Amino acid sequence: MPDAGKRITLQEYVISECRDKGQNQGLESVIMAIAEGSRRVQQQVQQAALADALGVTGETNVQGEIVQRLDTASSDIFVETLSQSGQVAAIGCEEIERPVIVEGDTSEGYIVLMDPLDGSSNIDVAVSIGSIFGIWQKNPDETVNDDSLLRPGNQQVAAAYVVYGSSTVLVLATKHNVCGFTLDIESGRFAVTHPSIKIPVECPYYSTNEGNNKVLDGPTQKAITLLRDKYSQRYVGSLVADFHRNLLKGGIFAYPADQNRKDGRLRLMYEANPLGFVAEQAGGAASTGYERILDIDPVELHQRTPLILGNKDVVEDTVAVIRGG
Ligand code: AHG
Ligand code: MN
Ligand code: MN
């Protein structure tokens, strides 16, 4: 078993990536806050059943979705670690209706949009779930308010996600690189295991909820049929897990608009934008089916979007069919 102690740690990587490459040093603190929160969430996820922490809270969130206990627990953990970093001015969260404006002097701070626990339908059945983060740099002379969080994805300075699966993997995308780290449970530190991730040229997989086919419009049904004819279906039902497999092995994820969800199901600010940033930095693409995800000017914190995400050429071919009619 290789000694994780001899691998570069996340802290060492982030120092070289942020300090040496001219990123504001504060970004280091934000990323380490995400890592510490992920370490705590991983413990909660692993022990939830034993701690009677599975199941629902009985509330519904701003999305109108039933809230899982671990959704709330994860949200609380990340709000705490991000707020304590001293570098986060505001947090937008899937589980919290309004932005969390962090007190204190964070004039040079960052704005973080997050999905604290993605794949909620899989929590109680021990299937991989995750956390997703988009990171924007606050304008120095700006007093943060709710509108400060409505930034297009092309202004992100970094994005990250964590998969709580057979191992706990944190993937960090900056403007220079996409790097994967695995949590060493004993030390509680993340160590480099995927130094420089590029989405493979080959595309063996497509990921979509085939149960929605009957409510897709004609061109979109045709696009999904073409994917089904060419690739193997892999669909976990946790966006982060489906995306992580496709990022490492090649693949395309599609959750298009349909008759029941005219704006799509997934959320722009803390699912599509962060994973779209990671995908593009790894040589992939992210589209609504009609426009680049990262170019969307957001109007609402929790707005939804259709999402076609993965291998650039396959995304482009799929978008052409969806648009071509
Ligand atoms: P969340 O648990 O944060 O609400 O996200 C769930 C999302 C995403 O993870 C997944 O791809 C999608 O819901 C699955 O939707 P369907 O169950 O409609 O396939
Ligand atoms: Mn989600
Ligand atoms: Mn979620």
Side-chain angles (χ1 to χ4, degrees):
M1 210 36 181
D3 171 3
K6 292 191 176 58
R7 293 174 180 272
I8 296 173
T9 66
L10 174 63
Q11 179 112 44
E12 290 161 342
Y13 173 87
V14 166
I15 287 171
S16 70
E17 191 64 19
C18 295
R19 280 184 203 169
D20 302 350
K21 292 182 178 161
Q23 289 273 14
N24 178 309
Q25 189 171 333
L27 183 58
E28 242 178 87
S29 307
V30 177
I31 294 164
M32 294 318 293
I34 289 171
E36 172 55 18
S38 307
R39 188 188 63 77
R40 294 189 207 171
V41 168
Q42 187 271 342
Q43 288 178 331
Q44 296 252 344
V45 167
Q46 293 295 318
Q47 298 299 313
L50 299 169
D52 291 325
L54 291 178
V56 298
T57 61
E59 292 144 19
T60 53
N61 63 16
V62 63
Q63 328 278 339
E65 292 164 348
I66 294 170
V67 179
Q68 306 284 330
R69 286 200 183 97
L70 277 177
D71 281 325
T72 304
S74 306
S75 177
D76 294 347
I77 287 170
F78 285 117
V79 167
E80 183 183 337
T81 60
L82 289 167
S83 301
Q84 288 173 350
S85 72
Q87 291 294 333
V88 174
I91 304 165
C93 175
E94 177 194 9
E95 301 304 332
I96 305 173
E97 183 166 2
R98 301 281 308 283
V100 175
I101 307 297
V102 179
E103 301 308 321
D105 174 25
T106 47
S107 54
E108 292 298 308
Y110 291 85
I111 293 169
V112 178
L113 278 289
M114 69 175 180
D115 176 358
L117 206 59
D118 172 70
S120 304
S121 64
N122 284 323
I123 295 174
D124 288 5
V125 294
V127 170
S128 298
I129 52 181
S131 304
I132 310 171
F133 306 87
I135 305 170
W136 285 259
Q137 188 146 23
K138 172 183 163 302
N139 299 323
D141 51 3
E142 175 192 20
T143 304
V144 172
N145 59 42
D146 288 10
D147 290 342
S148 307
L149 285 79
L150 300 179
R151 303 270 291 276
N154 57 32
Q155 292 180 1
Q156 290 174 101
V157 295
Y161 67 83
V162 184
V163 180
Y164 310 103
S166 51
S167 57
T168 295
V169 179
L170 185 151
V171 172
L172 171 66
T174 61
K175 288 183 178 159
H176 313 289
N177 188 35
V178 180
C179 188
F181 308 82
T182 299
L183 179 64
D184 173 9
I185 302 293
E186 280 174 32
S187 69
R189 289 184 312 186
F190 283 92
V192 173
T193 46
H194 305 73
S196 183
I197 299 175
K198 287 291 178 198
I199 198 162
V201 173
E202 61 277 356
C203 175
Y205 302 126
Y206 81 104
S207 306
T208 195
N209 181 337
E210 292 275 9
N212 293 338
N213 266 331
K214 54 195 175 303
V215 290
L216 299 176
D217 68 21
T220 308
Q221 278 188 352
K222 181 179 168 191
I224 299 297
T225 299
L226 289 171
L227 295 176
R228 188 184 307 121
D229 291 349
K230 287 174 77 174
Y231 308 118
S232 294
Q233 225 250 359
R234 292 288 188 280
Y235 192 69
V236 175
S238 300
L239 169 61
V240 176
D242 282 315
F243 176 65
H244 185 61
R245 181 204 49 251
N246 293 349
L247 184 71
L248 296 189
K249 301 289 185 189
I252 181 169
F253 174 96
Y255 210 114
D258 63 42
Q259 290 162 20
N260 302 329
R261 295 186 170 107
K262 299 235 181 305
D263 296 327
R265 185 218 198 288
L266 298 168
R267 277 59 55 121
L268 172 66
M269 291 310 295
Y270 38 78
E271 289 174 317
N273 268 335
L275 297 188
F277 182 89
V278 175
E280 289 197 3
Q281 292 305 102
S287 171
T288 64
Y290 301 91
E291 65 178 304
R292 180 184 178 223
I293 289 284
L294 299 192
D295 288 341
I296 298 173
D297 282 321
V299 294
E300 199 275 316
L301 183 61
H302 301 289
Q303 75 184 67
R304 294 180 190 263
T305 178
L307 180 59
I308 318 292
L309 174 70
N311 285 54
K312 186 173 171 58
D313 53 346
V314 185
V315 167
E316 288 171 351
D317 293 348
T318 302
V319 167
V321 175
I322 290 173
R323 294 178 64 169

